[in-house]
Amino acid sequence: CTPYIKSLSETTVQMTDPSGSNRIRLHPQAQNYTFNHVFPPETDQAEFFKHTTLPLVQGLLQGQNGLIFTYGVTNSGKTYTIQGANQPGTAGLLPRTLDVVFNSLNGLISQMPVSIVNLSLSLKLLTR
């Protein structure tokens, strides 16, 4: 079975119609697609996190907004990408993000008192 997606560079892949040549084609047999970055299948979770999510988390810690969004067909690896697995070194984007956030809080903690009341946050503003 010939792969229908071939990496041409770090930013470009070529997709070829896998159905063979015995049918009428509405599109060219092979098309190139360009992305910000193309990750080879053997990319580990740490490398993927470093290039995709760590910059978002660093921005978050500086007060910027960020969004991680996964999209794909069933069984394409979305859950593995976000959660990871139980083996060492296979943590996904979410546990790695939480690790960076919680290990970066030193010195960023607000002086405003916060308490948990009935599973909701209640800010107690001190008046002087």
Side-chain angles (χ1 to χ4, degrees):
C1 179
T2 305
Y4 63 93
I5 296 180
K6 178 171 76 172
S7 179
L8 300 178
S9 71
E10 287 188 356
T11 59
T12 306
V13 296
Q14 183 178 68
M15 186 170 175
T16 306
D17 184 352
S19 64
S21 59
N22 294 336
R23 63 182 203 141
I24 298 172
R25 297 187 188 285
L26 299 176
H27 301 287
Q29 185 172 0
Q31 288 189 313
N32 295 345
Y33 296 92
T34 303
F35 301 92
N36 291 339
H37 191 85
V38 174
F39 295 92
E42 61 274 3
T43 303
D44 64 13
Q45 291 278 40
E47 188 72 15
F48 187 71
F49 174 78
K50 177 182 162 188
H51 288 296
T52 61
T53 308
L54 185 56
L56 289 174
V57 176
Q58 290 169 331
L60 174 75
L61 293 169
Q62 296 172 4
Q64 298 174 1
N65 293 327
L67 172 69
I68 299 172
F69 177 77
T70 60
Y71 181 78
V73 298
T74 300
N75 207 26
S76 63
K78 299 178 299 294
T79 301
Y80 177 76
T81 299
I82 296 296
Q83 294 180 353
N86 293 329
Q87 293 78 29
T90 62
L93 299 181
L94 182 59
R96 289 175 191 275
T97 297
L98 292 173
D99 182 60
V100 170
V101 168
F102 285 111
N103 284 308
S104 300
L105 290 178
N106 189 20
L108 297 178
I109 298 173
S110 171
Q111 298 303 314
M112 185 180 300
V114 177
S115 63
I116 297 176
V117 179
N118 295 331
L119 300 177
S120 64
L121 288 177
S122 170
L123 297 177
K124 297 179 183 176
L125 300 177
L126 298 177
T127 57
R128 296 178 190 214

